[in-house]
């Protein structure tokens, strides 16, 4: 089945630095990728939708200059948390949709970000 | 936007049946999904409904009524490993996205011996 590889699985960074999270679709072309954030004991909150070759669409309240999304190819999307602060500490998960599979939302394994 | 409501927590004993309800309001409805999520892990796909009716898959079944904006996930013969959060998610077509998936808050199911 479809596989999305997400890296890193966890990262600890200092406040003020930037962190890049990668999601790769391994065996299909992901024309659309979704990025979610999940705080402890809460559900997944959609941050943005990225379509290959175009600008990402951000959900209300999500700072596009802080959470940079790049979807330059059909198999790779990246999320960069710029100038991270402790309140950005969260579980970040990507999801890709395979156009051939109507209900093929495939999730990455998630990235646990801790900002100290 | 979408409003997706589901209970916060449900407790049931091993071997029992539990039904998790989900109500939603959305435009451009493109399907309803149920996912299981264990703490610290990514969600795993359980079921998908786009037409009205019941979809059965082993111990798990999911029902959808589009006119009522209502779905439920039925877990039968509960096992201890079924203790997890169950997420109702709605896919909606928008002008800027092909099938945006939004999640409810999740229902924590606790299975007791």
């Amino acid at each position: 089945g479809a596989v999305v590889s997400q890296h890193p699985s966890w990262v600890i960074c200092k406040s003020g630095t930037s962190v890049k999270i990668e999601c790769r679709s391994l065996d299909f072309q992901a024309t659309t990728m979704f990025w979610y954030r999940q705080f402890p004991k809460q559900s997944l909150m959609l941050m943005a939708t990225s379509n290959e070759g175009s600008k990402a669409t951000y959900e209300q309240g999500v700072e596009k200059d802080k959470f940079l999304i790049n979807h330059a190819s059909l198999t790779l999307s990246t999320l960069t948390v710029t100038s991270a602060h402790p309140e950005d500490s969260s579980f970040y998960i990507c999801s890709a949709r395979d156009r051939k599979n109507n209900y093929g939302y495939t999730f990455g394994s998630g990235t646990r970000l801790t900002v100290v | 936007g979408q409003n997706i409501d589901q209970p916060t927590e449900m407790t049931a004993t091993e071997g029992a049946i539990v039904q998790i309800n989900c109500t939603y309001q959305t435009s451009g409805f493109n399907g309803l999904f149920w996912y299981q999520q264990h703490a610290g892990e990514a969600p795993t796909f359980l079921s998908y409904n786009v037409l009205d009716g019941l979809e059965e898959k082993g111990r798990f079944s999911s029902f959808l009524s589009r006119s009522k904006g209502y779905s439920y996930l039925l877990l039968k013969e509960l096992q201890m490993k079924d203790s997890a959060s169950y997420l109702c998610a709605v896919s909606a077509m928008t002008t800027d996205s092909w099938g945006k998936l939004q999640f409810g808050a999740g229902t924590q199911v606790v299975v007791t011996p």
Side-chain angles (χ1 to χ4, degrees):
Chain A
V3 176
V4 171
S5 176
Q6 182 171 349
H7 293 282
S9 298
W10 60 270
V11 56
I12 301 173
C13 70
K14 289 185 177 180
S15 188
T17 61
S18 296
V19 174
K20 180 185 282 189
I21 302 169
E22 291 189 350
C23 273
R24 293 180 184 274
S25 55
L26 298 185
D27 48 2
F28 67 101
Q29 294 183 331
T31 53
T32 302
M33 281 248 193
F34 303 93
W35 286 93
Y36 294 86
R37 178 169 53 182
Q38 185 175 35
F39 293 107
K41 297 190 178 181
Q42 295 186 25
S43 190
L44 282 74
M45 297 300 296
L46 181 65
M47 298 175 67
T49 303
S50 72
N51 295 299
E52 184 267 334
S54 63
K55 288 183 180 179
T57 303
Y58 290 81
E59 295 298 300
Q60 194 171 8
V62 178
E63 301 173 58
K64 61 181 180 182
D65 294 330
K66 180 171 182 62
F67 299 99
L68 302 179
I69 291 172
N70 185 285
H71 194 165
S73 78
L74 285 170
T75 59
L76 175 64
S77 178
T78 62
L79 167 68
T80 301
V81 183
T82 62
S83 186
H85 292 285
E87 58 265 30
D88 298 323
S89 298
S90 186
F91 191 51
Y92 292 86
I93 310 178
C94 64
S95 174
R97 192 165 194 192
D98 182 1
R99 290 188 80 108
K100 292 184 219 173
N101 187 352
N102 188 48
Y103 48 89
Y105 288 97
T106 303
F107 284 84
S109 53
T111 298
R112 172 72 59 193
L113 170 64
T114 303
V115 185
V116 297
Chain B
Q2 296 159 318
N3 295 317
I4 304 171
D5 293 312
Q6 54 182 125
T8 304
E9 184 173 314
M10 301 183 76
T11 301
T13 55
E14 207 171 1
I17 299 173
V18 69
Q19 177 174 315
I20 307 170
N21 296 323
C22 173
T23 58
Y24 65 90
Q25 293 177 311
T26 189
S27 55
F29 179 79
N30 191 38
L32 187 142
F33 298 75
W34 284 96
Y35 288 87
Q36 180 192 63
Q37 187 181 30
H38 287 98
E41 299 180 10
T44 54
F45 172 79
L46 292 178
S47 68
Y48 168 70
N49 296 70
V50 67
L51 300 176
D52 289 352
L54 185 68
E55 294 282 341
E56 296 185 87
K57 191 187 290 186
R59 294 189 298 114
F60 295 171
S61 303
S62 58
F63 171 83
L64 175 67
S65 169
R66 288 173 298 171
S67 61
K68 295 182 180 178
Y70 167 71
S71 173
Y72 69 71
L73 177 70
L74 196 68
L75 286 64
K76 305 174 194 172
E77 301 169 20
L78 279 174
Q79 302 175 9
M80 297 300 291
K81 67 178 182 180
D82 297 330
S83 291
S85 181
Y86 290 84
L87 307 173
C88 174
V90 175
S91 176
M93 302 292 287
T94 66
T95 55
D96 57 359
S97 173
W98 186 72
K100 187 188 296 191
L101 192 65
Q102 299 272 20
F103 286 82
T107 299
Q108 186 67 42
V109 171
V110 178
V111 182
T112 60

